[in-house]
Amino acid sequence: MRFPKLTASALALLIATPALAQEESKPFTVSGSVGLATDYRFRGVSQTDKEMAVQGGITVGHESGFYVGTWGSNLAGWGTFGGSNTELDIFGGYKMELTDGISIDAGLTWFMYPGGADKTDFAEIYSKLSTTVGPVNLLGGIAYAPRQQALGRWYFSGASASTGIYDRPGDKEDNLYIWGDISSAVPGTPITVKGHLGYSNGNSGLGPNGTSVAPTGKYMDWLVGVDMAIPGTPLTAGVAYVDTDISKSESAYLLPNFSSTKNGSSIASGKVVFSITAAF
């Protein structure tokens, strides 16, 4: 389960930036992106078994400030719920300028897993504030998912999940995520430097399908990276280091679920993630 915004690979992919100028007289704008990443990290945790991700999204915005859109990615390992092994996020919201240079953006995201197991989909509301200070762009956000079965603590441990016998069937829990982003273009270059810090607070067990939106219950994730716009093209190449403060001992009770299916390594350990994105 993931929120389309702030994994290392997804940071550059989720922001829908128009590549073609729109006529001011048109009430609607359409923008989006498609890209490849060497890993899909959701809040610092790999959702593709530490392997390649194909991702893309599209947003339709109205001049009033309202918008709707969708974003999707392949899944593997910890992120797999069967079916098409795909995450499809449907979102909608409203963005407006509060004062000169300060904007607010609020909405709701519905996380879907087409053809997957029961009780996987869940909804999350979000609110973001953004501003610019000189050459620096700042964004702060909060996302809250009300109590839902997909977020519940149905299994107390990975050992319980391995048996397939629920410890607390039907349990409902909520989830909170708070984050901040910072970025700045390097003058005279096509390069942008960026950083991200996030805090998760949710249930410390596993949901009905053996995963969790907040592994270990409470943890921090962070990212530092660089994006480079390729002149004359709609492409942006990115590289970022992503990590969490989840230690092996803290996540031991989640095993074998919370590990790579290939070699058992942690799916929350630090990793350099590369991406290439085409915006339209």
Side-chain angles (χ1 to χ4, degrees):
M1 293 176 258
R2 25 247 149 246
F3 184 64
K5 311 46 7 9
L6 297 183
T7 64
S9 60
L11 188 62
L13 303 179
L14 293 182
I15 302 174
T17 305
L20 299 176
Q22 303 289 331
E23 294 292 337
E24 292 184 4
S25 60
K26 293 183 179 180
F28 291 96
T29 58
V30 179
S31 57
S33 64
V34 62
L36 298 173
T38 56
D39 195 358
Y40 170 20
R41 291 278 174 138
F42 171 69
R43 297 172 186 173
V45 178
S46 178
Q47 309 298 309
T48 49
D49 212 25
K50 302 169 77 172
E51 295 294 341
M52 186 74 70
V54 180
Q55 303 170 323
I58 188 169
T59 300
V60 178
H62 187 262
E63 61 185 4
S64 64
F66 288 100
Y67 62 88
V68 294
T70 185
W71 181 90
S73 176
N74 63 292
L75 304 172
W78 170 264
T80 300
F81 294 114
S84 63
N85 290 335
T86 301
E87 174 186 341
L88 183 64
D89 304 338
I90 308 297
F91 57 87
Y94 178 75
K95 184 175 183 179
M96 64 173 289
E97 189 172 51
L98 288 178
T99 62
D100 187 27
I102 300 179
S103 296
I104 186 171
D105 183 352
L108 180 143
T109 302
W110 183 261
F111 298 88
M112 301 172 58
Y113 306 91
D118 292 338
K119 302 179 182 67
T120 56
D121 297 359
F122 70 100
E124 186 174 69
I125 56 176
Y126 61 86
S127 180
K128 299 179 283 187
L129 277 175
S130 59
T131 188
T132 299
V133 180
V136 179
N137 299 309
L138 300 172
L139 182 147
I142 181 169
Y144 178 70
R147 287 166 54 86
Q148 296 162 76
Q149 287 191 343
L151 307 176
R153 189 170 182 244
W154 290 44
Y155 295 110
F156 294 163
S157 67
S160 294
S162 297
T163 68
I165 301 175
Y166 296 128
D167 294 304
R168 188 185 294 168
D171 183 47
K172 296 181 180 180
E173 301 289 345
D174 61 358
N175 193 84
L176 175 70
Y177 186 64
I178 303 171
W179 78 95
D181 295 338
I182 184 171
S183 64
S184 179
V186 178
T189 76
I191 294 174
T192 297
V193 294
K194 62 187 180 183
H196 164 82
L197 179 65
Y199 168 74
S200 292
N201 188 335
N203 90 72
S204 58
L206 299 171
N209 299 290
T211 66
S212 173
V213 136
T216 71
K218 300 178 182 179
Y219 75 99
M220 303 286 293
D221 71 277
W222 57 87
L223 170 156
V224 290
V226 175
D227 288 334
M228 185 181 72
I230 301 175
T233 77
L235 300 175
T236 297
V239 58
Y241 177 78
V242 194
D243 205 352
T244 74
D245 67 351
I246 298 176
S247 68
K248 289 184 177 180
S249 59
E250 288 175 323
S251 63
Y253 73 97
L254 297 171
L255 300 178
N257 296 44
F258 194 67
S259 62
S260 167
T261 64
K262 300 181 295 297
N263 54 24
S265 61
S266 172
I267 56 174
S269 59
K271 182 178 180 181
V272 176
V273 177
F274 298 91
S275 64
I276 184 75
T277 309
F280 61 87

